[in-house]
Each structure stands twice: as C-alpha cells, then as structure tokens.
Amino acid sequence: MKILDDKKINEKVFAGRLSCQLPVYIVPKPHYKSMYAVLAIKYGSVNRNYFLNESYHEMPSGIAHFLEHKMFDMPDGTNTLNEFSLHGADCNAFTSKDLTAYYFDATENFSENLEILIKMVMTPFYTEESVNKERGIISQEIKMVEDNPSFIAYQNILTMLFGDCPVSEPIAGTQESINLITPELLYRCHENFYRPRNMALAIVGDLEPEKTFNLADLYLKKYYDDSASPTPVPDALVCNRAARTRKTTEYASVSAPQLLFAISFTPQLVGKNYLKQKLTAEFTLQILFGPSSDFYAKNYCDNNIRSDFGIEVEYISNISFIILGGETKNPNILADFIIETLDSAKEQINSEKLERTKRAFIGSYIRSWEDFEEIALSFIEGEFYQYNPLDIYTISQSIEVADCLNFIYNDMSKNRAISILLPQKE
Amino acid sequence: MKINRISLSPSLNLTHIQTGKFKSSLVSISFLSHLSSQHASEHALLPSVLLRGTIEHPNLQSMSQKMDELYGSIFSPQVYKVGEIQLCGLYLNFPDEAMLPAGSNILENILQFTCEILQRPYTENYLLREDFVVSESKKLTDKIKSIYNNKRAYAQYRCIQEMCEGEDFAIPAIGTISGAESLDNVSLTEEYNSLMQKAPVEIFYCGSKNVQEFKNLIDKLKIIPERKQTFTLKGTEIKFSPKTHTAQYYEEKSNIEQTNLVMGYRLGYYMKSPNLAAIQLFNILFGGAPSSKLFTRIREAESLCYFIDSSVNTSKGIMIVSAGIDLSNVHKVIDEVDKQLDTIRKGNISDSEFNTAKKTLVNDIGIINDSSASLSHFYTSNAVRDLFFTTSDYANKVYAVKKDEIIAVAESIRLDQIFVLKSGM
C-alpha cells in the first residue's frame, strides 16, 4: 500500500490494490468508535447497455437497481440484513446513475461485518420466485417515487436536456421495463460488472491499515479478476439535442410553486482536470447565486427564493450539467433573474468575491473530513473518476477568475431546461 | 479529552472540552428560560432574527460574506427544550485553529462576531427591525406547520399534548402558530432584553484551545453582558401518576394509509429517587433497540406492526411507545405492549437479553464521543438539570445496574394516554 497524506489537515490515507485487483482505500481515524466500510461497483442505471466481445447488449431499464435489491439474498435462504444486525452493524445500499454501493457502519465486529459485506456482494443468487417477489416491491417503490414532486421536476429537466437517453430514465426503471428483468439477465449483469477491476472498497475508522488490507485480501482471494478476460464497455451516453431553452410547466402536489433551472456543459471526464472543472463550476455558481451574492440578496428579500434554494453541479459518466432552484413565489420571474445573472457574469465575478469563496470552501472541506461516509464515498468517486481527493484543497485554492469565466463562456452550452411545478388548484 | 465544568460568573456556566480529535471546533451558547405559552414563540424566534443583521453587518448578504471570511464558519439558531426548560441561542461550527495557517486567530474572531450578533443587532428606534421579525416569524410558522407532514412525529406530539394538557411540557420547543402570529418586534425586543439581562446561560466549547485561553477570551470580549440578577428556573414538574385510573383514549383522522398508535406513560413514583442509567437501560430492554422485547416479540414474532419503539424522557418522567400498524390491530397491539411490560415486571429478563442491552446502551453512549454536536447536546442537557458526569462515568453507571432496579422501573410505570392517528380524511 502507499500512503497519501495531507499534513495540513493531519490525515493519512492508505491506498493499495488487493491480489484480486480490487482498489482499496483505508483512512485510519484513531479514538473513534464508529467504523464504516463501502464496497462500490462502477455500474449504475446509465450503464445498462454495453459492448462485449464485439456485440452490443441492451438490458432493461432499472436493472442495476433491481440487482442491488437482490444482493441481500444468500443461497442458503438467509437475508444478510439479519446477519449484519446480529453482529451489531447497520447496513444499507443505493444505486445512482453511475454506481451501486453497499455499506455498513458498526462499532464492533469489524472483520466479521466486512466478511459478510464482501460475501454478500460477490455472491449472486436469483430465483424466479424471488425475482417476482422483488418485482412487486420495486413496483411499489416506483409508484411512490413517481408521486414525489421533486422526482417529477428532476425527470423533466433530464428529459429536456438529454432527450431519449439512459440518463433520462428513472434509476428504478418503469413498470414495463422491470417486467422484462429475469434471473438470467441479473446473473449476466453481475458476472459482467461485479468484478474487482470494476469496483472499489473504502474503509474509515480506528483500524490498523495493514491488518485491514490483509483481511480484505483474504476474503476476496478467490475472486481474482484477470485483465485478459473480456471486459464489457458500457455504451457512452449520446444525447443529441439541438441546443436551446426548453420549458415545462405542470401541476403537482406542492404547497408552493417550485422552479428547477439547468444547463448542460462540456465535461472534463477524469483526473485533475475533472476536479478543477468541478470546483470551478461550484465556486462560479456560489459567487453568482450563493447566499453572499447580489442575486440571493435581491430575491430573498422579495420572497422570490427561500432558504431551500439549492445549487448543484452534476457529472454522470460522460455528461454533465448545473442545476439550481427551489420554492419560489413566481417561477417565471425567478427564471428570468437567473438568465440575467448568467448574462452579466463578467461583471459579477471578480477576484475579491472569488478569494472569499475559496476561503469559505476551506471550512466545508475541513468539515467533510469528519463525516465517515463522505470521506469513504469521495475515495470511491476518486477511484472511478481517476483523481485523488487529497488534491482537492490545492486545486481549489489555485482557481482564478479566468477559470470561472472560461466555465461560463466556453464550457456551458446553450442547452437549457426549465421545469416549473405549480400547486394543484383546490 | 479533558472535560471541565466551571462557573464564569453567577448563572453563566461553561462546559469546556479540550481535544485534538476533531477538525472543526464547536461553540454553543444557550439562554435558559422556563417553557411558557406566553414567551415560547418569542424565544424560538429570537436567534433567527439576531442572525438577520447587526449594526456592522446590517443584512443577510453582509452576514453571509462575513461568515465566508471566517473560513466558511456556520452560525445557526439553536432552539430546543429539556423537560420544561427552553434553551434558545446560537450554534457555531468553524475550522479548528490547529487546521489553519498560524495567526488566523479564528476563535477570537468568531467570538468577536458572536458578541456583535448578541449585543449589537441591527435595530430601528431601539427596536429589532419589523421586516426581520415579520420575515422570520413567517418561516417559523411554516416550520411549525410542517410537523404535520411527518405523521409519526405528529402523532407523538399529539399524544403528549393530550397527556400533558395543562402542563408546560405540552408546549412545543419552537412555540405555537398562534404565538408566532401574535408577536411583534416590540414584544420580541422586550424578550431579547429580558433574556440578555436575566436568563441563566450555558456555554459549551469543544476544540483544541485550553480552558484558560477560552475563559480569557470570553472575559475579554464580554460576550454575555454583566448581569445583576438572573431569574431562577422553576425546573420541570414531574407528575407521579396519571390523572385517571384507566388510560385516556383519543382518536384523530388524517390523510394517511398506515395507522399510528402512540401510548404515553408516566414513569411514576420511581422518579422520586431515580437511577437514570437504570431507566435508560430499561428502555433499551423494553423497546429502544432491535434486540428489545417490543421489536423482537411484537414486530418480528407476531408481525403486528411495521415499526415499533419506545423512548423515555427522564426530565419529565414519561415514556412513549410509538407503532405503525393496521387499524384492525390497535387493541391487539395495546394488549401485547402491556404484556411485554408485564414480563419485565415479573423479572422475565434472560442474562443474554440483559447483557446485550447493556452492551447496546454502552455502545450508544460511546458514540457520543465521536461527534462534537452529540457531546454538546449530552453535556448541555445535563447541565440544564444541574447534572454533570462524563460519558465514561455514565457507561460505568450502566454496567452497575442490577436486574431488580429494572424491575423497579417497570413496576412504577403507568399507562396514561393512548392516541391513535388513523386514515379517514
């Protein structure tokens, strides 16, 4: 293992690769009782279609999420959630657009819980009966999610920005698509994607790094991933949309109108360039729309925005976009203000504001190093997007006004989406 | 961790934890008052209004810019209750000095800004600004209304309202809608002056500075003005038995699918001389953990509910059992809960159950040390009740609890109120 360290914040990270080829990151946290481990697969809802051995394979939408649900069943009929409980651990999982993650946190029995986690994720077991039962449960989940106004607005944004493309599909799929999922397809996806070279393990807690590394190596020994064996290549996301502003307005079960405003941009795909662009985008948006901005001051006092007004920069595989919004008295006026602010970015962004934003970032960066889940997931993302999270501090402080303006005027596209939700009439 | 509790002046107390464990430091400042329907809303609103602007930073934008300059520090309003004592004040989180370049002087700068917020609010004609008060009271009203959206929390709140009718405990920590709507900047300014001049204050610090350095800064900056006389807190009234011999029953309809059953109990005469560790351990055994009687017997074995748990409030001397069930099972579940309480009264606690419960509770107590926010809540809630012990002291107290103490707790408990929130609107 090699040691990555950040003397500024007094953290050491042990990074290595197990003999089965799985990348591992261990962050020792002396004197803490909690221990956290996450095993993630670089396989999310957008990766459903892929090339393998020169043929193209199309899988039903929602398969990565379905697979995640089924991982908790073991061949001996037990459910691993009980196993974790018995060993004093809290376990959960999630599927996102670009990855699936299984994690636990515990204050005891770390090695036993790690073994359960690894065995669970590496052991596929699907039957007709269990798949049919899960279909019923997921069908309920889809219904619940489809009722959620936030989901409706976000879906509208994706469809407007990216059209008919896997990124626009709901993670859980649709009622129709989940009917096409069979045990055979699940086995195939597990075999193709749940393999050490396509995964990463991150562990945080009061643990001895060498010992923990060797333990993980032992539990994963039999899953050696030969680089010579054929590897599936997920289809790149192709979203051919004529660049223009699109808008939808609909009624939903909300107590006040809501606005979401998004713009796609050309992503830096991996590495330090990715990190720099992401931080530049975040700082630029904070300067233009954050709580210290003129935009925020004007609109907060006019009650055009509330304290739930959010700003996100999202990267999914080879596409990316910024998204802002929240509750508002008048969504159309707010959308106009956003456009006006973007159009006057050159006047809004100066070095005084940028320096203040970079300084404010230091506090949130330091806070992030106290949240075990955040630490672990940042190393997972770093592995999948090929960067070292410990570079974040230096890169953040190196950003200049020219970088912010470059993001606005060169990276950001003319492809814009506006989603408005209005309260249902009584 | 070096933990100290000292009195900076009469009614101004400090709990100070010196540790290098965390990267961010935490300061919490709480003004204490008796929870009253007259002033609860004003006290709940005050911190948010103070954070809207000071004389030097008269609006949200300049306040936010100042916090950016202080390395992205967080200044939040903090309002909660411990029994019938209301705490209102500020919660501050900022990078620890050890993490920043030398000479940043962050703690002193943070405390200076805090002094500004507390003592030099942006006023008009010596009153807190009407536009700030109107804007923040609207937000507070929205927040109070939103409890209705979480059906489980709402059902628990209603059960306590019914059970503790006429008692101050029934007043929510963040006040009521009528309270928020009837206050104005004049009454709020009065309460501001009253709290600043007469309320006891609890300060909590967790970070790398030692206690003398911290004390010197508080003294030098005069964060809390010198007070001549502070009011004495009444303390929480504990009722040792329910009003009536049989439990009261109340049903309410709501727009929901799943029925929420809440059972409210008085911990009873055991509260005359309570061992707090024994009460908490009883709770873990009864319904406060996945290994508990309620969880294993009623949920797992009988499948009678989607969720079920119990929680105790040792300040007020009550216990709440909360369950999500099918409407047809209301009386069955009530009987089962009663049956499980009875098994503990009869001493049916296996050694394995007892040891697992102790291990679970000691683990939960240990985790408090993993977060400065948890430490702040633990020590401040105890301080407000004139209690002081470390988390390790408390863990030892838990280990020392005997089975017959658990039985004594169970024997003292009496069902007071049943509340059912069911579909039908």
Side-chain angles (χ1 to χ4, degrees):
Chain A
M1 281 191 289
K2 64 175 197 260
I3 301 174
L4 313 167
D5 67 348
D6 186 337
K7 294 192 176 53
K8 263 187 299 299
I9 53 163
N10 197 21
E11 287 287 353
K12 257 196 175 77
V13 179
F14 291 76
R17 195 173 273 272
L18 301 181
S19 53
C20 68
Q21 303 307 300
L22 177 78
V24 179
Y25 296 89
I26 300 171
V27 184
K29 282 282 199 183
H31 312 305
Y32 278 84
K33 267 204 95 104
S34 300
M35 295 171 286
Y36 182 96
V38 57
L39 184 54
I41 301 92
K42 195 176 173 188
Y43 179 60
S45 67
V46 305
N47 306 121
R48 66 176 175 90
N49 302 331
Y50 57 95
F51 292 94
L52 183 63
N53 293 328
E54 276 147 56
S55 41
Y56 184 71
H57 302 264
E58 236 186 275
M59 290 288 152
S61 171
I63 194 161
H65 172 256
F66 206 112
L67 191 52
E68 178 235 298
H69 268 237
K70 293 308 318 148
M71 286 327 296
F72 294 87
D73 295 342
M74 294 302 280
D76 61 3
T78 56
N79 182 298
T80 46
L81 285 175
N82 286 335
E83 280 292 297
F84 279 113
S85 230
L86 283 168
H87 289 89
D90 262 322
C91 167
N92 214 330
F94 67 84
T95 311
S96 72
K97 300 269 185 195
D98 59 7
L99 64 83
T100 310
Y102 303 84
Y103 58 93
F104 72 84
D105 77 81
T107 54
E108 52 180 351
N109 300 322
F110 183 78
S111 38
E112 290 90 331
N113 285 311
L114 183 64
E115 188 176 11
I116 296 168
L117 181 72
I118 288 169
K119 230 173 31 192
M120 171 181 98
V121 172
M122 302 310 286
T123 310
F125 180 68
Y126 324 111
T127 64
E128 283 289 343
E129 193 195 338
S130 71
V131 167
N132 285 331
K133 179 162 164 259
E134 203 64 49
R135 215 192 306 280
I137 294 173
I138 293 179
S139 168
Q140 286 297 320
E141 195 183 327
I142 292 174
K143 273 200 201 111
M144 211 175 70
V145 163
E146 281 174 352
D147 277 342
N148 183 334
S150 305
F151 172 81
I152 295 169
Y154 189 71
Q155 275 306 116
N156 290 343
I157 291 288
L158 293 177
T159 311
M160 283 188 278
L161 284 182
F162 304 113
D164 185 21
C165 167
V167 76
S168 311
E169 294 164 3
I171 294 171
T174 63
Q175 305 292 356
E176 297 77 30
S177 73
I178 61 173
N179 283 333
L180 303 171
I181 297 175
T182 63
E184 196 253 323
L185 292 183
L186 292 172
Y187 274 114
R188 237 201 292 164
C189 287
H190 187 275
E191 190 192 1
N192 283 327
F193 293 100
Y194 279 50
R195 45 198 294 179
R197 278 179 200 281
N198 198 42
M199 296 167 64
L201 173 66
I203 295 170
V204 186
D206 191 356
L207 298 157
E208 217 288 301
E210 288 290 344
K211 213 171 110 187
T212 310
F213 184 89
N214 292 335
L215 215 51
D217 202 44
L218 179 66
Y219 298 144
L220 278 156
K221 224 173 194 61
K222 59 178 181 170
Y223 301 106
Y224 176 67
D225 188 359
D226 188 346
S227 60
S229 67
T231 314
V233 177
D235 201 3
L237 299 173
V238 174
C239 307
N240 288 324
R241 294 289 261 176
R244 62 180 179 85
T245 303
R246 294 176 176 80
K247 181 158 122 175
T248 63
T249 306
E250 70 182 87
Y251 293 99
S253 134
V254 287
S255 50
Q258 297 194 9
L259 170 76
L260 278 185
F261 188 109
I263 306 177
S264 68
F265 65 87
T266 314
Q268 293 292 328
L269 295 176
V270 293
K272 282 196 172 135
N273 290 340
Y274 165 96
L275 254 192
K276 183 166 184 183
Q277 185 189 48
K278 184 168 188 203
L279 288 163
T280 302
E282 283 168 359
F283 289 178
T284 306
L285 294 176
Q286 279 302 315
I287 292 171
L288 295 176
F289 301 106
S292 300
S293 68
D294 297 337
F295 166 90
Y296 197 96
K298 169 124 192 37
N299 285 288
Y300 192 87
C301 294
D302 286 349
N303 235 331
N304 261 343
I305 60 175
R306 316 271 155 84
S307 46
D308 71 331
F309 186 78
I311 300 169
E312 297 285 340
V313 177
E314 293 205 35
Y315 288 81
I316 302 168
S317 180
N318 58 303
I319 60 126
S320 53
F321 58 100
I322 63 160
I323 182 164
L324 340 159
E327 236 178 53
T328 168
K329 207 171 59 182
N330 196 321
N332 286 299
I333 290 184
L334 186 62
D336 287 342
F337 265 122
I338 291 174
I339 294 171
E340 206 180 286
T341 306
L342 286 167
D343 288 344
S344 64
K346 253 202 267 276
E347 287 84 52
Q348 302 276 347
I349 300 174
N350 59 42
S351 61
E352 185 198 333
K353 291 181 188 175
L354 179 59
E355 288 314 300
R356 201 172 46 221
T357 306
K358 280 154 74 168
R359 214 158 133 120
F361 177 75
I362 292 172
S364 69
Y365 176 69
I366 287 173
R367 269 190 292 277
S368 73
W369 274 92
E370 281 171 344
D371 182 331
F372 285 20
E373 184 164 82
E374 210 173 323
I375 297 169
L377 289 175
S378 81
F379 280 93
I380 298 290
E381 195 193 87
E383 174 62 34
F384 293 163
Y385 284 85
Q386 298 170 39
Y387 66 82
N388 176 0
L390 290 172
D391 287 336
I392 287 175
Y393 184 91
T394 320
I395 291 178
S396 74
Q397 302 303 300
S398 75
I399 290 166
E400 303 187 331
V401 171
D403 297 315
C404 298
L405 295 177
N406 176 56
F407 178 75
I408 301 264
Y409 294 108
N410 297 330
D411 292 349
M412 265 177 28
S413 75
K414 300 258 179 296
N415 197 9
R416 296 174 170 184
I418 300 172
S419 165
I420 293 174
L421 296 183
L422 299 173
Q424 264 143 358
K425 298 203 168 27
E426 290 301 292
Chain B
M1 274 187 202
K2 278 215 276 271
I3 306 174
N4 278 299
R5 179 153 171 80
I6 63 178
S7 184
L8 298 173
S9 69
S11 295
L12 174 58
N13 294 315
L14 167 68
T15 306
H16 181 283
I17 299 184
Q18 183 181 15
T19 177
K21 183 172 173 178
F22 306 114
K23 300 189 156 31
S24 300
S25 300
L26 187 155
V27 171
S28 154
I29 299 176
S30 305
F31 292 82
L32 313 182
S33 59
H34 190 81
L35 189 59
S36 76
S37 49
Q38 221 189 346
H39 297 303
S41 298
E42 274 133 355
H43 295 173
L45 192 64
L46 186 61
S48 308
V49 169
L50 295 178
L51 286 168
R52 281 297 290 260
T54 65
I55 294 174
E56 291 94 326
H57 299 92
N59 53 50
L60 268 183
Q61 188 178 16
S62 61
M63 289 291 282
S64 175
Q65 287 173 358
K66 174 73 178 174
M67 291 172 205
D68 286 348
E69 275 156 21
L70 291 170
Y71 296 94
S73 56
I74 292 175
F75 281 70
S76 295
Q78 182 173 239
V79 178
Y80 62 107
K81 70 182 181 188
V82 175
E84 288 162 356
I85 298 175
Q86 188 183 27
L87 292 83
C88 77
L90 300 175
Y91 168 99
L92 323 175
N93 178 296
F94 48 96
D96 193 274
E97 204 128 342
M99 296 286 120
L100 296 173
S104 73
N105 254 352
I106 180 122
L107 179 60
E108 182 160 357
N109 293 331
I110 291 279
L111 291 177
Q112 248 166 13
F113 188 44
T114 306
C115 190
E116 191 185 307
I117 292 167
L118 291 177
Q119 296 189 34
R120 298 194 294 283
Y122 188 40
T123 54
E124 195 172 17
N125 297 326
Y126 304 106
L127 293 173
L128 294 168
R129 289 184 58 97
E130 197 181 340
D131 54 349
F132 289 177
V133 173
V134 166
S135 162
E136 291 300 323
S137 63
K138 168 92 188 23
K139 274 166 54 183
L140 181 62
T141 313
D142 287 345
K143 189 169 173 194
I144 296 169
K145 284 185 186 152
S146 75
I147 192 193
Y148 186 70
N149 299 336
N150 178 340
K151 299 305 176 189
R152 189 171 175 184
Y154 175 72
Q156 289 177 23
Y157 157 72
R158 285 286 295 119
C159 180
I160 288 176
Q161 255 198 333
E162 292 301 317
M163 181 165 85
C164 300
E165 192 183 349
E167 298 165 51
D168 292 330
F169 190 70
I171 302 164
I174 56 172
T176 58
I177 293 175
S178 58
E181 284 173 350
S182 63
L183 60 79
D184 61 17
N185 65 331
V186 175
S187 65
L188 190 64
T189 308
E190 258 170 46
E191 276 316 295
Y192 162 72
N193 287 323
S194 168
L195 287 178
M196 287 303 285
Q197 284 158 24
K198 300 205 202 90
V201 174
E202 281 292 331
I203 301 181
F204 175 89
Y205 169 81
C206 180
S208 63
K209 286 275 184 201
N210 71 41
V211 62
Q212 199 52 51
E213 286 176 280
F214 187 82
K215 182 176 180 301
N216 291 344
L217 277 173
I218 299 283
D219 288 342
K220 170 175 147 186
L221 298 170
K222 295 194 186 0
I223 304 234
I224 308 291
E226 215 161 294
R227 283 96 69 79
K228 298 193 176 53
Q229 199 182 25
T230 52
F231 37 70
T232 345
L233 292 173
K234 215 162 57 169
T236 302
E237 183 193 14
I238 297 180
K239 292 257 194 271
F240 298 105
S241 58
K243 294 187 280 284
T244 54
H245 183 69
T246 42
Q248 308 275 317
Y249 185 93
Y250 196 102
E251 253 181 31
E252 187 175 304
K253 294 197 177 126
S254 178
N255 180 12
I256 44 166
E257 290 292 327
Q258 189 182 89
T259 300
N260 269 271
L261 165 68
V262 184
M263 297 164 73
Y265 297 78
R266 301 284 177 175
L267 294 178
Y269 289 95
Y270 185 82
M271 291 307 297
K272 292 227 181 228
S273 184
N275 176 349
L276 301 183
I279 297 174
Q280 284 218 307
L281 189 57
F282 159 83
N283 185 59
I284 297 282
L285 265 162
F286 181 54
S291 53
S292 68
K293 300 247 187 231
L294 294 185
F295 197 87
T296 55
R297 310 293 149 81
I298 303 184
R299 185 177 184 272
E300 302 285 275
E302 303 286 331
S303 291
L304 278 175
C305 51
Y306 302 102
F307 66 83
I308 184 164
D309 64 28
S310 66
S311 62
V312 288
N313 185 318
T314 56
S315 306
K316 181 64 185 167
I318 64 171
M319 176 173 77
I320 297 286
V321 169
S322 164
I325 60 176
D326 283 335
L327 185 58
S328 55
N329 284 328
V330 167
H331 293 284
K332 198 151 181 224
V333 173
I334 291 172
D335 286 343
E336 280 297 326
V337 170
D338 202 42
K339 205 166 93 178
Q340 294 309 321
L341 183 55
D342 239 7
T343 57
I344 300 183
R345 286 179 179 133
K346 293 193 174 87
N348 287 347
I349 308 162
S350 71
D351 286 344
S352 149
E353 269 179 305
F354 196 49
N355 292 329
T356 302
K358 278 192 177 175
K359 207 156 76 135
T360 304
L361 182 54
V362 167
N363 247 346
D364 288 348
I365 294 167
I367 291 176
I368 292 172
N369 293 334
D370 279 359
S371 130
S372 52
S374 305
L375 284 164
S376 173
H377 194 262
F378 177 81
Y379 283 100
T380 306
S381 303
N382 282 340
V384 154
R385 298 165 68 181
D386 280 320
L387 297 170
F388 177 71
F389 43 81
T390 64
T391 49
S392 4
D393 289 341
Y394 195 53
N396 288 335
K397 287 198 174 101
V398 171
Y399 274 128
V401 172
K402 306 261 185 308
K403 266 190 206 177
D404 52 14
E405 288 176 275
I406 305 288
I407 295 169
V409 173
E411 280 177 340
S412 169
I413 293 178
R414 292 287 175 274
L415 181 61
D416 190 335
Q417 179 79 46
I418 299 171
F419 183 88
V420 174
L421 188 70
K422 61 185 202 186
S423 78
M425 222 152 77

